[in-house]
Amino acid sequence: MSHANSPREWAIDTLCIHAGQEPDPIHGAVMTPIVLSSTFAQDGPAMLKGPGFDYSRAGNPTRAALEACFASLEGGKHGVAFGSGCAATMAILLMLKSGDHVLVGDDVYGGTFRIFDKVMKQFGIEATFLDMSDATKVRAAVRPNTRLVWMETPSNPMLKIFDIAAIAEVAKSASAWLAVDNTFATPVLQRPLQLGATIVVHSTTKYLNGHSDVVGGAVVTDDDAIAEKLHFIQKSAGAVPSPFDCYMVLRGLKTLGVRMRQHVQSARGIAEWLASHAQVARVHYPGLASHPGHALASRQMKGPGGMISFELRGGIDASRAFLAALRVFVCAESLGGVESLAELPAVMTHASLTAEARRALGIGDGLIRLSVGLEDLNDLRGDLEAGFGAALRAAR
Ligand SMILES: *Cc1c(COP(=O)(O)O)cnc(C)c1O
């Protein structure tokens, strides 16, 4: 199997289906085989066969196909797959050393916050959390030992938009790397490496796999030295995905383009409808002209994505009644699957933050986050309408 990266000029819909996935040369299998073998026969001691596999922690044909696909989708040279998004994040941080400093967006995924705030602290790596809306404030927070800048855009759950190109400039002038968590946007809507990021990270659990049946992660970079370090960490620390999970993600990726376009179209429809609803105090969706990051999102992204959050009037009882009444939307954490999900960040995804930190970010008891799936738009709106009815009765 050859896993040479596909031509960069191919459009993303073509890359999703073909990148890293040439028919296998032995049987001509059109779909990538799942190679479960943990070990590979050698022609003699330390004489590896053609593709160079020896042991599946170090490298595996199904994983190699997925890694080539990740690299092509993000327009980078190297893709590295991990057993979860958090393992991908950890692999990046394992390239740092004690005494290094990191700047992190204040509205990052809870598990990412926990890694910086709890795990890395033990190893003498210090993180400063800050709102990255203003690049000059990011520049002012740089220290002589700042090695890495970490951002998510759109952010979670407030859907704030940060300027990747401007923050890439700040990182570059500080000789630091910029890592962008591109889980919410996906390469269909945003390609951070083209905007100057050093590293892109994904929880493939979300849109890339897209069917809520795999936990996985990925890192992509154009930098040969960083890629070599990441492969060394992947092999040494061993947080690798199974060949079966790699196959599942390859299968999910084939429809990424069409899925993302539909997620965007439906989310747009729901966001506009919510914005005019009497029981909604505020909608956070970068596709609305009222969103503070709207102009930047229009420049930086090909579409505002499938995630929405909104403030329901009526307090915690109304929020609980709203979620309990939904039948199409499932009340659950996570996002990016074909099925629509709804959740209450204050008591679910963001419960690990202190009440004060939640207040500072604007995460109140009325904030509801939606991952808009691929069901019929009228059914989705009807379901939310039933939720609003229940919320009204509960608030009375
Ligand atoms: C889910 C998520 C992660 C963590 O990924 P896991 O696959 O759950 O380990 C990281 N970043 C973002 C933005 C996420 O949504």
Side-chain angles (χ1 to χ4, degrees):
M1 263 170 271
S2 142
H3 296 118
N5 289 354
S6 298
R8 286 194 181 206
E9 64 273 16
W10 281 2
I12 197 128
D13 283 1
T14 310
L15 294 175
C16 283
I17 292 167
H18 293 293
Q21 301 162 75
E22 294 80 14
D24 116 73
I26 302 165
H27 305 101
V30 171
M31 289 300 140
T32 307
I34 306 173
V35 180
L36 292 173
S37 195
S38 57
T39 189
F40 297 85
Q42 306 189 9
D43 288 331
M47 291 164 63
L48 306 187
K49 293 190 183 293
F53 295 108
D54 58 358
Y55 184 66
S56 273
R57 171 160 38 74
N60 169 280
T62 316
R63 192 173 94 209
L66 179 64
E67 291 177 327
C69 188
F70 286 148
S72 288
L73 293 181
E74 285 290 1
K77 271 202 287 199
H78 311 279
V80 191
F82 292 93
S84 70
C86 287
T89 299
M90 273 307 297
I92 295 167
L93 301 184
L94 286 173
M95 292 190 287
L96 304 181
K97 59 182 190 325
S98 176
D100 286 348
H101 173 247
V102 187
L103 289 173
V104 188
D106 61 357
D107 197 14
V108 292
Y109 177 71
T112 305
F113 174 80
R114 188 167 55 203
I115 290 173
F116 281 110
D117 184 53
K118 298 267 177 358
V119 183
M120 297 320 289
K121 238 182 209 165
Q122 299 175 64
F123 298 99
I125 291 164
E126 202 189 336
T128 303
F129 297 91
L130 74 166
D131 182 347
M132 295 198 169
S133 303
D134 183 353
T136 60
K137 285 201 182 125
V138 182
R139 191 181 298 275
V142 168
R143 299 183 192 169
N145 59 340
T146 303
R147 286 287 316 283
L148 174 68
V149 180
W150 186 283
M151 68 190 289
E152 264 172 43
T153 178
S155 73
N156 174 21
M158 303 310 288
L159 286 313
K160 288 196 256 184
I161 305 293
F162 304 128
D163 190 334
I164 298 174
I167 294 177
E169 274 306 311
V170 172
K172 199 170 160 199
S173 63
S175 303
W177 298 330
L178 172 63
V180 177
D181 182 333
N182 205 28
T183 300
F184 270 41
T186 83
V188 173
L189 303 181
Q190 170 173 283
R191 287 171 123 185
L193 295 182
Q194 288 174 356
L195 297 168
T198 328
I199 298 168
V200 174
V201 55
H202 276 281
S203 167
T204 60
T205 312
K206 317 294 167 51
Y207 288 108
L208 296 198
N209 178 58
H211 295 73
S212 304
D213 49 10
V214 171
V215 172
V219 181
V220 178
T221 183
D222 234 2
D223 185 302
D224 298 341
I226 291 175
E228 200 181 318
K229 284 186 186 150
L230 287 169
H231 276 118
F232 178 77
I233 289 164
Q234 180 194 40
K235 171 174 85 177
S236 308
V240 294
S242 74
F244 183 74
D245 282 356
C246 292
Y247 170 81
M248 292 289 278
V249 178
L250 277 169
R251 183 179 161 116
L253 274 174
K254 290 190 187 286
T255 55
L256 181 67
V258 285
R259 282 191 285 114
M260 290 314 295
R261 287 193 288 278
Q262 187 60 48
H263 283 301
V264 168
Q265 194 182 319
S266 296
R268 232 188 242 290
I270 288 177
E272 284 165 6
W273 174 73
L274 287 173
S276 63
H277 201 286
Q279 280 166 268
V280 174
R282 203 165 158 206
V283 182
H284 305 279
Y285 184 65
L288 295 177
S290 59
H291 186 284
H294 178 69
L296 176 56
S298 309
R299 266 204 320 277
Q300 174 168 285
M301 304 177 73
K302 284 201 174 127
M307 298 297 296
I308 302 171
S309 60
F310 68 95
E311 291 160 29
L312 175 69
R313 298 186 200 275
I316 188 77
D317 291 340
S319 299
R320 288 188 186 278
F322 180 91
L323 289 167
L326 302 178
R327 288 174 56 211
V328 182
F329 280 86
V330 178
C331 178
E333 300 190 1
S334 198
L335 59 113
V338 293
E339 73 293 338
S340 292
L341 302 180
E343 65 116 1
L344 196 54
V347 298
M348 292 173 68
T349 49
H350 292 68
S352 60
L353 270 64
T354 62
E356 193 188 355
R358 278 198 297 273
R359 216 174 3 258
L361 290 170
I363 305 171
D365 290 343
L367 189 79
I368 289 175
R369 190 187 77 177
L370 303 178
S371 172
V372 178
L374 305 182
E375 302 92 338
D376 182 87
L377 183 54
N378 284 325
D379 289 339
L380 292 174
R381 265 194 302 244
D383 201 41
L384 296 173
E385 196 55 89
F388 283 122
L392 206 55
R393 290 190 293 277
R396 249 182 216 138

